[in-house]
Short mmCIF file of all heavy atoms in Angstrom, two decimals:
data_model
loop_
_atom_site.label_atom_id
_atom_site.label_comp_id
_atom_site.label_asym_id
_atom_site.label_seq_id
_atom_site.Cartn_x
_atom_site.Cartn_y
_atom_site.Cartn_z
N MET A 1 49.21 -106.41 2.48
CA MET A 1 48.35 -107.52 2.21
C MET A 1 47.87 -107.43 0.66
O MET A 1 47.52 -106.36 0.24
CB MET A 1 47.04 -107.51 3.14
CG MET A 1 47.31 -108.03 4.51
SD MET A 1 46.36 -109.42 4.91
CE MET A 1 44.75 -108.91 4.86
N PRO A 2 47.91 -108.50 -0.04
CA PRO A 2 47.41 -108.49 -1.42
C PRO A 2 46.00 -108.30 -1.55
O PRO A 2 45.23 -108.53 -0.58
CB PRO A 2 47.93 -109.83 -1.98
CG PRO A 2 47.96 -110.68 -0.75
CD PRO A 2 48.28 -109.83 0.44
N PRO A 3 45.49 -107.80 -2.70
CA PRO A 3 44.04 -107.67 -2.94
C PRO A 3 43.34 -109.08 -2.73
O PRO A 3 43.89 -110.07 -3.09
CB PRO A 3 43.83 -107.21 -4.38
CG PRO A 3 45.20 -106.88 -4.80
CD PRO A 3 46.35 -107.49 -3.86
N HIS A 4 42.12 -109.05 -2.24
CA HIS A 4 41.45 -110.24 -1.98
C HIS A 4 40.06 -110.15 -2.57
O HIS A 4 39.43 -109.04 -2.39
CB HIS A 4 41.40 -110.38 -0.36
CG HIS A 4 41.10 -111.79 0.05
ND1 HIS A 4 42.11 -112.70 0.02
CD2 HIS A 4 39.99 -112.33 0.45
CE1 HIS A 4 41.55 -113.82 0.44
NE2 HIS A 4 40.23 -113.68 0.74
N PRO A 5 39.47 -111.20 -3.13
CA PRO A 5 38.08 -111.16 -3.56
C PRO A 5 37.17 -110.95 -2.37
O PRO A 5 37.24 -111.54 -1.31
CB PRO A 5 37.89 -112.46 -4.24
CG PRO A 5 39.01 -113.35 -3.93
CD PRO A 5 40.13 -112.46 -3.38
N LYS A 6 36.15 -110.03 -2.63
CA LYS A 6 35.20 -109.68 -1.61
C LYS A 6 34.22 -110.82 -1.25
O LYS A 6 33.81 -111.04 -0.14
CB LYS A 6 34.45 -108.48 -1.94
CG LYS A 6 35.19 -107.16 -1.78
CD LYS A 6 34.35 -105.97 -1.84
CE LYS A 6 35.09 -104.73 -1.58
NZ LYS A 6 36.10 -104.38 -2.70
N LYS A 7 33.80 -111.53 -2.35
CA LYS A 7 32.77 -112.47 -2.19
C LYS A 7 33.21 -113.85 -2.79
O LYS A 7 34.06 -113.82 -3.72
CB LYS A 7 31.50 -112.09 -2.99
CG LYS A 7 30.74 -110.84 -2.44
CD LYS A 7 29.44 -111.33 -1.77
CE LYS A 7 28.89 -110.38 -0.83
NZ LYS A 7 28.41 -109.13 -1.57
N LYS A 8 32.70 -114.94 -2.27
CA LYS A 8 33.08 -116.18 -2.84
C LYS A 8 32.37 -116.36 -4.22
O LYS A 8 31.18 -116.05 -4.31
CB LYS A 8 32.58 -117.35 -1.89
CG LYS A 8 32.95 -118.65 -2.37
CD LYS A 8 32.17 -119.81 -1.59
CE LYS A 8 32.49 -121.10 -2.12
NZ LYS A 8 31.81 -122.16 -1.37
N ARG A 9 33.21 -116.80 -5.19
CA ARG A 9 32.48 -117.06 -6.55
C ARG A 9 31.86 -118.37 -6.50
O ARG A 9 32.44 -119.46 -6.25
CB ARG A 9 33.71 -117.07 -7.60
CG ARG A 9 33.18 -116.95 -8.95
CD ARG A 9 34.37 -117.01 -9.93
NE ARG A 9 35.07 -115.76 -9.85
CZ ARG A 9 35.13 -114.90 -10.85
NH1 ARG A 9 34.46 -115.10 -12.01
NH2 ARG A 9 35.75 -113.72 -10.82
N SER A 10 30.56 -118.35 -6.91
CA SER A 10 29.72 -119.65 -6.74
C SER A 10 30.14 -120.59 -7.86
O SER A 10 30.78 -120.32 -8.82
CB SER A 10 28.28 -119.34 -6.83
OG SER A 10 27.92 -118.87 -8.17
N TYR A 11 29.74 -121.84 -7.64
CA TYR A 11 30.13 -122.85 -8.62
C TYR A 11 29.43 -122.59 -9.94
O TYR A 11 29.91 -122.86 -10.99
CB TYR A 11 29.64 -124.25 -8.08
CG TYR A 11 30.46 -124.76 -6.93
CD1 TYR A 11 29.95 -124.83 -5.65
CD2 TYR A 11 31.79 -125.09 -7.07
CE1 TYR A 11 30.68 -125.37 -4.55
CE2 TYR A 11 32.54 -125.53 -6.01
CZ TYR A 11 31.98 -125.62 -4.87
OH TYR A 11 32.70 -126.08 -3.77
N GLY A 12 28.22 -122.02 -9.86
CA GLY A 12 27.50 -121.62 -11.18
C GLY A 12 28.28 -120.61 -11.94
O GLY A 12 28.40 -120.76 -13.18
N LYS A 13 28.81 -119.60 -11.32
CA LYS A 13 29.65 -118.62 -11.94
C LYS A 13 30.90 -119.18 -12.55
O LYS A 13 31.29 -118.85 -13.70
CB LYS A 13 30.01 -117.47 -10.93
CG LYS A 13 28.90 -116.56 -10.56
CD LYS A 13 29.01 -115.30 -11.47
CE LYS A 13 27.99 -114.21 -10.85
NZ LYS A 13 27.49 -113.28 -11.91
N LYS A 14 31.47 -120.04 -11.74
CA LYS A 14 32.71 -120.75 -12.24
C LYS A 14 32.31 -121.54 -13.52
O LYS A 14 33.11 -121.57 -14.56
CB LYS A 14 33.25 -121.66 -11.20
CG LYS A 14 34.69 -121.44 -10.84
CD LYS A 14 35.23 -122.53 -9.92
CE LYS A 14 34.72 -122.51 -8.56
NZ LYS A 14 35.42 -123.47 -7.62
N GLY A 15 31.24 -122.27 -13.43
CA GLY A 15 30.86 -123.09 -14.67
C GLY A 15 30.61 -122.21 -15.83
O GLY A 15 30.94 -122.59 -16.94
N ARG A 16 29.96 -121.13 -15.66
CA ARG A 16 29.66 -120.25 -16.78
C ARG A 16 30.87 -119.63 -17.42
O ARG A 16 31.11 -119.53 -18.58
CB ARG A 16 28.72 -119.12 -16.34
CG ARG A 16 27.25 -119.40 -16.70
CD ARG A 16 26.34 -118.43 -15.95
NE ARG A 16 26.13 -118.85 -14.64
CZ ARG A 16 25.46 -118.18 -13.76
NH1 ARG A 16 24.96 -116.96 -14.05
NH2 ARG A 16 25.37 -118.52 -12.53
N ARG A 17 31.99 -119.36 -16.60
CA ARG A 17 33.23 -118.89 -17.12
C ARG A 17 33.92 -119.87 -17.92
O ARG A 17 34.54 -119.55 -19.01
CB ARG A 17 34.02 -118.43 -15.93
CG ARG A 17 35.49 -117.91 -16.43
CD ARG A 17 36.10 -117.00 -15.28
NE ARG A 17 36.13 -117.75 -13.95
CZ ARG A 17 37.13 -118.42 -13.52
NH1 ARG A 17 38.26 -118.44 -14.23
NH2 ARG A 17 37.09 -118.89 -12.31
N TRP A 18 33.84 -121.18 -17.58
CA TRP A 18 34.50 -122.21 -18.24
C TRP A 18 33.71 -122.82 -19.41
O TRP A 18 34.07 -123.81 -19.94
CB TRP A 18 35.03 -123.27 -17.36
CG TRP A 18 36.23 -122.74 -16.47
CD1 TRP A 18 36.15 -122.38 -15.28
CD2 TRP A 18 37.61 -122.69 -16.87
NE1 TRP A 18 37.37 -121.94 -14.78
CE2 TRP A 18 38.27 -122.18 -15.83
CE3 TRP A 18 38.20 -122.95 -18.12
CZ2 TRP A 18 39.64 -121.97 -15.86
CZ3 TRP A 18 39.54 -122.68 -18.13
CH2 TRP A 18 40.22 -122.24 -17.09
N SER A 19 32.54 -122.26 -19.65
CA SER A 19 31.63 -122.87 -20.63
C SER A 19 32.15 -122.73 -22.04
O SER A 19 31.66 -123.51 -22.95
CB SER A 19 30.27 -122.15 -20.53
OG SER A 19 30.22 -120.91 -21.01
N HIS A 20 33.10 -121.94 -22.29
CA HIS A 20 33.67 -121.83 -23.72
C HIS A 20 34.88 -122.62 -23.86
O HIS A 20 35.58 -122.48 -24.93
CB HIS A 20 33.89 -120.30 -24.01
CG HIS A 20 32.65 -119.47 -23.85
ND1 HIS A 20 31.64 -119.43 -24.70
CD2 HIS A 20 32.26 -118.60 -22.82
CE1 HIS A 20 30.70 -118.63 -24.30
NE2 HIS A 20 31.11 -118.06 -23.17
N SER A 21 35.36 -123.29 -22.83
CA SER A 21 36.73 -123.90 -22.91
C SER A 21 36.71 -125.33 -23.13
O SER A 21 37.70 -126.04 -22.81
CB SER A 21 37.57 -123.56 -21.68
OG SER A 21 36.85 -122.67 -20.92
N GLN A 22 35.63 -125.86 -23.64
CA GLN A 22 35.57 -127.41 -23.90
C GLN A 22 36.47 -127.69 -25.06
O GLN A 22 36.64 -126.94 -26.05
CB GLN A 22 34.20 -127.86 -24.06
CG GLN A 22 33.50 -127.45 -25.35
CD GLN A 22 32.74 -126.17 -25.16
OE1 GLN A 22 32.95 -125.38 -24.21
NE2 GLN A 22 31.82 -125.75 -26.04
N LEU A 23 36.85 -128.94 -25.08
CA LEU A 23 37.75 -129.45 -26.22
C LEU A 23 36.87 -129.87 -27.36
O LEU A 23 35.85 -130.41 -27.17
CB LEU A 23 38.62 -130.63 -25.71
CG LEU A 23 39.78 -130.22 -24.67
CD1 LEU A 23 40.29 -131.58 -24.14
CD2 LEU A 23 40.70 -129.39 -25.24
N ASP A 24 37.40 -129.58 -28.54
CA ASP A 24 36.69 -130.00 -29.74
C ASP A 24 37.14 -131.54 -30.03
O ASP A 24 38.28 -131.94 -29.73
CB ASP A 24 37.05 -129.29 -30.99
CG ASP A 24 36.52 -127.85 -30.91
OD1 ASP A 24 35.36 -127.74 -30.41
OD2 ASP A 24 37.19 -126.87 -31.37
N PRO A 25 36.23 -132.29 -30.57
CA PRO A 25 36.67 -133.64 -30.98
C PRO A 25 37.62 -133.63 -32.09
O PRO A 25 37.67 -132.74 -32.92
CB PRO A 25 35.27 -134.29 -31.34
CG PRO A 25 34.43 -133.27 -31.69
CD PRO A 25 34.82 -132.05 -30.79
N VAL A 26 38.52 -134.60 -32.13
CA VAL A 26 39.61 -134.66 -33.09
C VAL A 26 38.95 -134.95 -34.49
O VAL A 26 38.15 -135.97 -34.61
CB VAL A 26 40.58 -135.73 -32.76
CG1 VAL A 26 41.60 -135.92 -33.80
CG2 VAL A 26 41.25 -135.36 -31.40
N ALA A 27 39.28 -134.23 -35.49
CA ALA A 27 38.67 -134.38 -36.71
C ALA A 27 39.35 -135.44 -37.58
O ALA A 27 40.61 -135.45 -37.40
CB ALA A 27 38.75 -133.07 -37.62
N ILE A 28 38.63 -136.30 -38.07
CA ILE A 28 39.03 -137.53 -38.85
C ILE A 28 38.39 -137.50 -40.21
O ILE A 28 37.17 -137.46 -40.23
CB ILE A 28 38.90 -138.85 -38.10
CG1 ILE A 28 39.68 -138.89 -36.80
CG2 ILE A 28 39.21 -140.00 -38.92
CD1 ILE A 28 41.13 -139.00 -36.90
N SER A 29 39.14 -137.55 -41.29
CA SER A 29 38.54 -137.77 -42.55
C SER A 29 39.02 -139.02 -43.19
O SER A 29 39.88 -139.70 -42.65
CB SER A 29 38.81 -136.57 -43.50
OG SER A 29 40.21 -136.57 -43.88
N THR A 30 38.47 -139.37 -44.28
CA THR A 30 38.91 -140.64 -45.02
C THR A 30 39.62 -140.34 -46.30
O THR A 30 39.31 -139.50 -46.98
CB THR A 30 37.53 -141.45 -45.28
OG1 THR A 30 36.64 -141.35 -44.29
CG2 THR A 30 37.90 -142.90 -45.54
N CYS A 31 40.69 -141.24 -46.35
CA CYS A 31 41.52 -141.01 -47.58
C CYS A 31 40.72 -141.50 -48.90
O CYS A 31 39.99 -142.48 -48.83
CB CYS A 31 42.82 -141.83 -47.52
SG CYS A 31 43.76 -141.88 -48.98
N ALA A 32 40.79 -140.68 -49.95
CA ALA A 32 40.12 -140.99 -51.11
C ALA A 32 40.74 -142.11 -51.94
O ALA A 32 40.08 -142.77 -52.71
CB ALA A 32 39.97 -139.77 -52.09
N GLN A 33 41.98 -142.36 -51.63
CA GLN A 33 42.71 -143.28 -52.30
C GLN A 33 42.69 -144.76 -51.69
O GLN A 33 42.25 -145.72 -52.28
CB GLN A 33 44.24 -142.92 -52.44
CG GLN A 33 45.11 -143.71 -53.42
CD GLN A 33 44.74 -143.40 -54.77
OE1 GLN A 33 44.25 -142.34 -55.14
NE2 GLN A 33 45.00 -144.33 -55.69
N CYS A 34 42.90 -144.79 -50.40
CA CYS A 34 42.95 -146.10 -49.67
C CYS A 34 41.88 -146.31 -48.58
O CYS A 34 41.75 -147.28 -47.98
CB CYS A 34 44.27 -146.29 -49.04
SG CYS A 34 44.70 -145.11 -47.66
N HIS A 35 41.07 -145.22 -48.45
CA HIS A 35 39.87 -145.18 -47.51
C HIS A 35 40.18 -145.53 -46.18
O HIS A 35 39.47 -146.04 -45.37
CB HIS A 35 38.91 -146.19 -48.13
CG HIS A 35 38.40 -146.01 -49.52
ND1 HIS A 35 37.70 -144.96 -49.83
CD2 HIS A 35 38.68 -146.73 -50.58
CE1 HIS A 35 37.55 -145.03 -51.21
NE2 HIS A 35 38.16 -146.01 -51.67
N SER A 36 41.46 -145.14 -45.69
CA SER A 36 41.81 -145.32 -44.39
C SER A 36 41.65 -143.89 -43.60
O SER A 36 41.64 -142.89 -44.24
CB SER A 36 43.24 -145.76 -44.21
OG SER A 36 44.09 -144.62 -44.70
N PRO A 37 41.37 -143.95 -42.27
CA PRO A 37 41.30 -142.68 -41.65
C PRO A 37 42.50 -141.84 -41.64
O PRO A 37 43.70 -142.34 -41.45
CB PRO A 37 40.90 -143.13 -40.25
CG PRO A 37 41.21 -144.50 -40.02
CD PRO A 37 41.20 -145.03 -41.42
N LYS A 38 42.36 -140.58 -41.83
CA LYS A 38 43.58 -139.67 -41.90
C LYS A 38 43.11 -138.33 -41.40
O LYS A 38 41.93 -137.95 -41.48
CB LYS A 38 44.13 -139.55 -43.30
CG LYS A 38 43.34 -138.84 -44.32
CD LYS A 38 44.06 -138.64 -45.60
CE LYS A 38 43.33 -137.52 -46.45
NZ LYS A 38 43.47 -136.19 -45.81
N PRO A 39 44.02 -137.52 -40.94
CA PRO A 39 43.67 -136.09 -40.59
C PRO A 39 43.36 -135.31 -41.81
O PRO A 39 43.96 -135.52 -42.91
CB PRO A 39 44.91 -135.51 -39.94
CG PRO A 39 46.01 -136.48 -40.32
CD PRO A 39 45.45 -137.76 -40.60
N PRO A 40 42.34 -134.41 -41.81
CA PRO A 40 41.88 -133.65 -42.99
C PRO A 40 42.96 -132.68 -43.42
O PRO A 40 43.65 -132.16 -42.57
CB PRO A 40 40.65 -132.98 -42.56
CG PRO A 40 40.63 -132.96 -41.05
CD PRO A 40 41.45 -134.09 -40.63
N HIS A 41 42.94 -132.29 -44.69
CA HIS A 41 43.93 -131.37 -45.34
C HIS A 41 45.35 -131.81 -45.12
O HIS A 41 46.17 -130.90 -45.18
CB HIS A 41 43.66 -129.94 -44.78
CG HIS A 41 42.20 -129.58 -44.81
ND1 HIS A 41 41.55 -129.27 -45.92
CD2 HIS A 41 41.31 -129.34 -43.79
CE1 HIS A 41 40.26 -129.06 -45.63
NE2 HIS A 41 40.11 -128.94 -44.37
N GLN A 42 45.61 -133.03 -44.96
CA GLN A 42 46.94 -133.52 -44.76
C GLN A 42 47.15 -134.81 -45.75
O GLN A 42 46.25 -135.44 -46.03
CB GLN A 42 47.22 -133.88 -43.36
CG GLN A 42 47.47 -132.67 -42.46
CD GLN A 42 47.65 -133.04 -40.96
OE1 GLN A 42 48.42 -133.94 -40.74
NE2 GLN A 42 47.09 -132.32 -40.14
N VAL A 43 48.51 -135.04 -46.09
CA VAL A 43 48.83 -136.14 -46.90
C VAL A 43 48.48 -137.33 -46.08
O VAL A 43 48.80 -137.43 -44.82
CB VAL A 43 50.27 -136.09 -47.25
CG1 VAL A 43 50.68 -137.33 -48.02
CG2 VAL A 43 50.60 -134.82 -48.11
N CYS A 44 47.89 -138.40 -46.73
CA CYS A 44 47.43 -139.67 -46.13
C CYS A 44 48.79 -140.36 -45.60
O CYS A 44 49.76 -140.57 -46.36
CB CYS A 44 46.79 -140.52 -47.07
SG CYS A 44 46.39 -142.19 -46.42
N PRO A 45 48.90 -140.63 -44.29
CA PRO A 45 50.08 -141.26 -43.87
C PRO A 45 50.19 -142.79 -44.26
O PRO A 45 51.26 -143.35 -44.01
CB PRO A 45 49.95 -141.16 -42.30
CG PRO A 45 48.46 -141.03 -42.13
CD PRO A 45 47.91 -140.36 -43.28
N THR A 46 49.18 -143.28 -44.74
CA THR A 46 49.15 -144.72 -45.13
C THR A 46 49.67 -145.01 -46.59
O THR A 46 50.48 -145.73 -46.83
CB THR A 46 47.78 -145.36 -45.05
OG1 THR A 46 47.23 -144.96 -43.76
CG2 THR A 46 47.81 -146.86 -45.15
N CYS A 47 49.09 -144.05 -47.55
CA CYS A 47 49.49 -144.29 -49.00
C CYS A 47 50.21 -143.12 -49.50
O CYS A 47 50.80 -143.16 -50.62
CB CYS A 47 48.21 -144.60 -49.84
SG CYS A 47 47.04 -143.25 -49.83
N GLY A 48 50.32 -142.03 -48.80
CA GLY A 48 51.04 -140.85 -49.30
C GLY A 48 50.37 -140.09 -50.41
O GLY A 48 50.96 -139.25 -51.05
N TYR A 49 49.05 -140.23 -50.53
CA TYR A 49 48.33 -139.46 -51.61
C TYR A 49 47.57 -138.23 -50.95
O TYR A 49 47.13 -138.33 -49.85
CB TYR A 49 47.17 -140.37 -52.25
CG TYR A 49 47.75 -141.15 -53.42
CD1 TYR A 49 48.63 -142.21 -53.21
CD2 TYR A 49 47.29 -140.85 -54.67
CE1 TYR A 49 49.06 -142.86 -54.31
CE2 TYR A 49 47.71 -141.61 -55.78
CZ TYR A 49 48.60 -142.64 -55.49
OH TYR A 49 49.13 -143.31 -56.67
N TYR A 50 47.53 -137.22 -51.75
CA TYR A 50 46.80 -136.02 -51.41
C TYR A 50 46.26 -135.34 -52.72
O TYR A 50 47.04 -135.04 -53.61
CB TYR A 50 47.57 -134.97 -50.60
CG TYR A 50 46.79 -133.82 -50.13
CD1 TYR A 50 45.94 -134.03 -48.97
CD2 TYR A 50 46.85 -132.64 -50.75
CE1 TYR A 50 45.09 -132.97 -48.54
CE2 TYR A 50 46.06 -131.55 -50.21
CZ TYR A 50 45.25 -131.81 -49.18
OH TYR A 50 44.44 -130.79 -48.61
N GLY A 51 45.05 -134.99 -52.71
CA GLY A 51 44.42 -134.30 -53.81
C GLY A 51 44.45 -135.17 -55.10
O GLY A 51 44.53 -134.61 -56.23
N GLY A 52 44.35 -136.53 -54.99
CA GLY A 52 44.29 -137.48 -56.09
C GLY A 52 45.66 -137.71 -56.72
O GLY A 52 45.76 -138.36 -57.69
N ARG A 53 46.71 -137.32 -56.10
CA ARG A 53 48.00 -137.68 -56.66
C ARG A 53 48.97 -138.03 -55.51
O ARG A 53 48.81 -137.62 -54.39
CB ARG A 53 48.64 -136.45 -57.45
CG ARG A 53 49.03 -135.23 -56.65
CD ARG A 53 49.48 -134.18 -57.57
NE ARG A 53 50.02 -133.05 -56.68
CZ ARG A 53 51.25 -132.89 -56.42
NH1 ARG A 53 52.13 -133.78 -56.83
NH2 ARG A 53 51.60 -131.93 -55.70
N GLU A 54 50.03 -138.76 -55.95
CA GLU A 54 50.99 -139.27 -54.96
C GLU A 54 51.95 -138.19 -54.61
O GLU A 54 52.63 -137.65 -55.40
CB GLU A 54 51.69 -140.48 -55.39
CG GLU A 54 52.49 -141.24 -54.39
CD GLU A 54 53.22 -142.50 -54.92
OE1 GLU A 54 53.25 -142.65 -56.09
OE2 GLU A 54 53.63 -143.28 -54.07
N VAL A 55 52.04 -137.86 -53.37
CA VAL A 55 52.81 -136.72 -52.88
C VAL A 55 54.16 -137.36 -52.19
O VAL A 55 55.19 -136.78 -52.51
CB VAL A 55 52.23 -135.82 -51.86
CG1 VAL A 55 53.05 -134.60 -51.38
CG2 VAL A 55 50.86 -135.30 -52.47
N ILE A 56 53.91 -138.38 -51.41
CA ILE A 56 55.03 -138.97 -50.78
C ILE A 56 55.00 -140.52 -51.28
O ILE A 56 53.99 -141.10 -51.18
CB ILE A 56 54.95 -138.93 -49.23
CG1 ILE A 56 54.80 -137.51 -48.83
CG2 ILE A 56 56.10 -139.60 -48.60
CD1 ILE A 56 54.37 -137.43 -47.36
N SER A 57 56.12 -140.95 -51.81
CA SER A 57 56.13 -142.40 -52.22
C SER A 57 56.33 -143.22 -50.95
O SER A 57 57.19 -142.97 -50.22
CB SER A 57 57.27 -142.56 -53.27
OG SER A 57 58.53 -142.60 -52.61
N MET A 58 55.36 -144.18 -50.85
CA MET A 58 55.38 -145.05 -49.69
C MET A 58 56.08 -146.37 -49.97
O MET A 58 56.18 -147.22 -49.18
CB MET A 58 54.01 -145.36 -49.24
CG MET A 58 53.29 -144.15 -48.52
SD MET A 58 54.02 -143.81 -46.97
CE MET A 58 53.61 -142.11 -46.75
N THR A 59 56.66 -146.44 -51.18
CA THR A 59 57.60 -147.67 -51.44
C THR A 59 58.79 -147.66 -50.64
O THR A 59 59.30 -146.54 -50.32
CB THR A 59 57.83 -147.76 -52.98
OG1 THR A 59 58.34 -146.44 -53.36
CG2 THR A 59 56.55 -148.02 -53.80
N PRO A 60 59.40 -148.82 -50.40
CA PRO A 60 60.67 -148.86 -49.60
C PRO A 60 61.69 -147.99 -50.35
O PRO A 60 61.82 -148.00 -51.58
CB PRO A 60 61.03 -150.33 -49.55
CG PRO A 60 59.64 -151.03 -49.66
CD PRO A 60 58.89 -150.16 -50.53
N GLU A 61 62.50 -147.25 -49.58
CA GLU A 61 63.53 -146.40 -50.17
C GLU A 61 64.70 -147.24 -50.82
O GLU A 61 64.92 -148.33 -50.44
CB GLU A 61 64.06 -145.45 -49.01
CG GLU A 61 62.98 -144.58 -48.36
CD GLU A 61 62.64 -143.44 -49.28
OE1 GLU A 61 63.41 -142.95 -50.05
OE2 GLU A 61 61.38 -143.00 -49.20
N GLU A 62 65.29 -146.52 -51.78
CA GLU A 62 66.46 -147.16 -52.38
C GLU A 62 67.59 -147.22 -51.37
O GLU A 62 67.63 -146.32 -50.52
CB GLU A 62 66.87 -146.33 -53.67
CG GLU A 62 65.83 -146.39 -54.72
CD GLU A 62 64.94 -145.16 -54.60
OE1 GLU A 62 65.44 -144.07 -54.40
OE2 GLU A 62 63.68 -145.42 -54.72
N PRO A 63 68.54 -148.19 -51.55
CA PRO A 63 69.64 -148.17 -50.55
C PRO A 63 70.50 -146.98 -50.67
O PRO A 63 70.74 -146.45 -51.86
CB PRO A 63 70.47 -149.42 -50.93
CG PRO A 63 69.97 -149.88 -52.25
CD PRO A 63 68.60 -149.37 -52.43
N GLY A 64 70.97 -146.45 -49.59
CA GLY A 64 71.71 -145.15 -49.65
C GLY A 64 70.87 -143.98 -49.41
O GLY A 64 71.44 -142.85 -49.15
N GLN A 65 69.54 -144.02 -49.40
CA GLN A 65 68.68 -142.73 -49.20
C GLN A 65 68.56 -142.49 -47.78
O GLN A 65 68.70 -141.39 -47.36
CB GLN A 65 67.30 -143.24 -49.82
CG GLN A 65 66.35 -141.91 -49.90
CD GLN A 65 66.64 -141.10 -51.16
OE1 GLN A 65 67.31 -141.67 -52.06
NE2 GLN A 65 66.04 -139.92 -51.17
N GLU A 66 68.44 -143.65 -46.93
CA GLU A 66 68.25 -143.44 -45.52
C GLU A 66 69.69 -143.62 -44.81
O GLU A 66 70.47 -144.43 -45.28
CB GLU A 66 67.31 -144.40 -44.88
CG GLU A 66 65.86 -144.16 -45.24
CD GLU A 66 65.09 -143.25 -44.35
OE1 GLU A 66 65.17 -143.61 -43.09
OE2 GLU A 66 64.49 -142.30 -44.80
N SER A 67 69.94 -142.80 -43.88
CA SER A 67 71.22 -142.88 -43.18
C SER A 67 71.21 -143.88 -42.13
O SER A 67 70.19 -144.17 -41.53
CB SER A 67 71.58 -141.53 -42.58
OG SER A 67 70.60 -141.19 -41.64
ZN1 ZN B 101 45.50 -143.11 -48.32
#
């Protein structure tokens, strides 16, 4: 026979064990360039700017760039 708990764990005990496992709200910051919501510490997916300069050009690609 496998080991078996001697006593029933109460709902209060269960709740205290899981009290540290709540989810954090998703962090959202605002782009300094286009003021659209974006994830912090990441390049803006709307305008491609990060740290005051353009990192990814969001203009349409030249022909032959995309496969
Ligand atoms: Zn932006």
Side-chain angles (χ1 to χ4, degrees):
M1 284 244 294
H4 200 80
K6 283 193 174 70
K7 289 252 166 67
K8 182 187 176 181
R9 195 180 284 249
S10 68
Y11 291 111
K13 284 265 191 207
K14 233 191 288 188
R16 266 167 276 173
R17 177 158 51 98
W18 287 101
S19 68
H20 304 285
S21 355
Q22 67 273 16
L23 293 170
D24 288 325
V26 176
I28 296 287
S29 71
T30 319
C31 176
Q33 192 72 25
C34 66
H35 306 289
S36 67
K38 74 169 192 69
H41 311 293
Q42 286 179 39
V43 176
C44 175
T46 311
C47 65
Y49 270 69
Y50 185 77
R53 67 186 187 92
E54 190 179 15
V55 182
I56 304 165
S57 75
M58 286 292 157
T59 50
E61 300 287 327
E62 297 89 46
Q65 193 84 9
E66 292 270 308
S67 61

